[in-house]
Amino acid sequence: MNEFGRLEAAQRYTVPGLERGLRILTAFTRREPVLSAPELARRLSIPRSTVFRLLSTLEQLGLVERDESGRDYRLGTGALRLGFECLASKELTELGRPILERLRDITGCSCNLVVRDGRSVVYVARAVVQTPYANTVHLGTRLPAHATLFGRVLLRDLSFEKLQQLYPEEQLQAATPKTPATVAQLYRLIQTDRAHDYVFDQGYFEPNISTLAVPVFGQAGKVVAALGITVSGNNHTPENINELARSACEAADDLSSLLDHVAASRH
């Protein structure tokens, strides 16, 4: 088959609606994270009515969302999750592993890198100190996002409306007495968390296990992962917690900078 024949065959199997939708998603960049529907129509040479229908579909799928004005659009958490599922299996883990190992050596504690997949958090990289808890989670372990400190960090970019869509039920399933009972309680906790560089709690998901979690940021300041330290026992002084937090925040900053550098080099 000659080149013209191959091109004709490829066009025969192209889905125009899908192709246009993907072109819309790729129009959002690090330098231009927010775009209007008319601007997208102009840039992509797609009729405005078609762009509005495509944006409505992408919004329902969580791939785009309205900005604060309610008129313009930006990539939604669904699109970020699609992109970082691949990143979690490659760049995020490759970049994060030596940082986790260094953090483990500094703190003497097991360290984890976690991403969100829908209503679950997923462990994608670990640097462990051998303790009984170290054997209860492994790469690929899934835990409920609403019931973990990692989940609270990873849900922080969601508006109350988006959080309600993710958790439409009236009562959230409890893992411990500390699990928020409703979406409203969960949202209030997340808003409190946002005022601090890290979150820490004792026995939040499992008795006798303390967790300290900090956000890792990607493009446009979006949270793409949570980096955390797991400590056995509940006897921790404020000085000890502050020292762990300082080391964890430095590690998260290092990883965020690396991710930002990789993203910038692609543009």
Side-chain angles (χ1 to χ4, degrees):
M1 181 183 296
N2 59 29
E3 188 66 28
F4 178 78
R6 284 193 293 270
L7 179 62
E8 187 177 36
Q11 290 176 337
R12 188 183 309 131
Y13 292 104
T14 297
V15 181
L18 176 60
E19 185 261 344
R20 286 175 168 178
L22 292 174
R23 285 173 61 198
I24 285 177
L25 292 177
T26 57
F28 296 93
T29 67
R30 184 168 177 263
R31 292 181 178 84
E32 295 183 288
V34 177
L35 293 169
S36 67
E39 177 62 18
L40 287 165
R42 185 189 67 79
R43 290 189 184 190
L44 303 177
S45 300
I46 300 174
R48 285 194 182 191
S49 59
T50 301
V51 167
F52 278 110
R53 289 198 301 272
L54 289 168
L55 285 170
S56 177
T57 301
L58 294 170
E59 187 176 15
Q60 291 177 42
L61 294 172
L63 299 176
V64 299
E65 62 187 21
R66 307 288 181 109
D67 72 346
E68 290 75 10
S69 72
R71 297 186 303 272
D72 299 335
Y73 293 84
R74 61 191 175 198
L75 290 180
T77 54
L80 293 171
R81 180 163 59 87
L82 285 175
F84 279 97
E85 281 297 312
C86 176
L87 184 61
S89 67
K90 189 177 180 181
E91 287 173 358
L92 185 61
T93 54
E94 289 178 357
L95 294 172
R97 190 175 296 110
I99 291 175
L100 288 183
E101 291 172 351
R102 185 168 68 247
L103 183 61
R104 175 200 59 198
D105 295 342
I106 291 172
T107 63
C109 302
S110 294
C111 301
N112 305 285
L113 192 61
V114 180
V115 298
R116 182 171 70 89
D117 183 16
R119 292 165 56 117
S120 300
V121 299
V122 185
Y123 285 71
V124 296
R126 305 195 68 221
V128 303
V129 173
Q130 290 305 315
T131 65
Y133 179 76
N135 297 321
T136 66
V137 295
H138 50 79
L139 292 182
T141 290
R142 289 173 172 266
L143 298 176
H146 75 277
T148 61
L149 292 187
F150 287 126
R152 278 167 43 184
V153 168
L154 292 165
L155 292 166
R156 63 186 287 166
D157 286 336
L158 270 62
S159 66
F160 182 62
E161 291 72 21
K162 294 292 184 183
L163 204 59
Q164 283 183 308
Q165 292 175 16
L166 188 62
Y167 296 102
E169 60 267 35
E170 291 187 7
Q171 294 288 316
L172 300 177
Q173 185 173 0
T176 70
K178 293 189 175 185
T179 304
T182 65
V183 172
Q185 290 181 16
L186 175 61
Y187 184 72
R188 285 195 293 269
L189 283 172
I190 292 170
Q191 296 312 299
T192 300
D193 294 342
R194 288 173 64 90
H196 304 280
D197 294 330
Y198 67 93
V199 291
F200 175 84
D201 208 336
Q202 301 177 349
Y204 190 78
F205 183 75
E206 280 196 48
N208 302 317
I209 296 294
S210 299
T211 302
L212 188 148
V214 297
V216 175
F217 298 99
Q219 288 180 269
K222 293 282 189 179
V223 175
V224 297
L227 184 151
I229 298 174
T230 302
V231 189
S232 299
N234 292 323
N235 297 318
H236 307 292
T237 65
E239 293 76 15
N240 174 242
I241 295 169
N242 288 335
E243 187 63 25
L244 290 176
R246 184 187 63 79
S247 298
C249 288
E250 289 179 357
D253 287 345
D254 288 345
L255 182 52
S256 298
S257 296
L258 287 173
L259 291 172
D260 190 57
H261 176 74
V262 169
S265 69
R266 291 172 172 166
H267 294 285

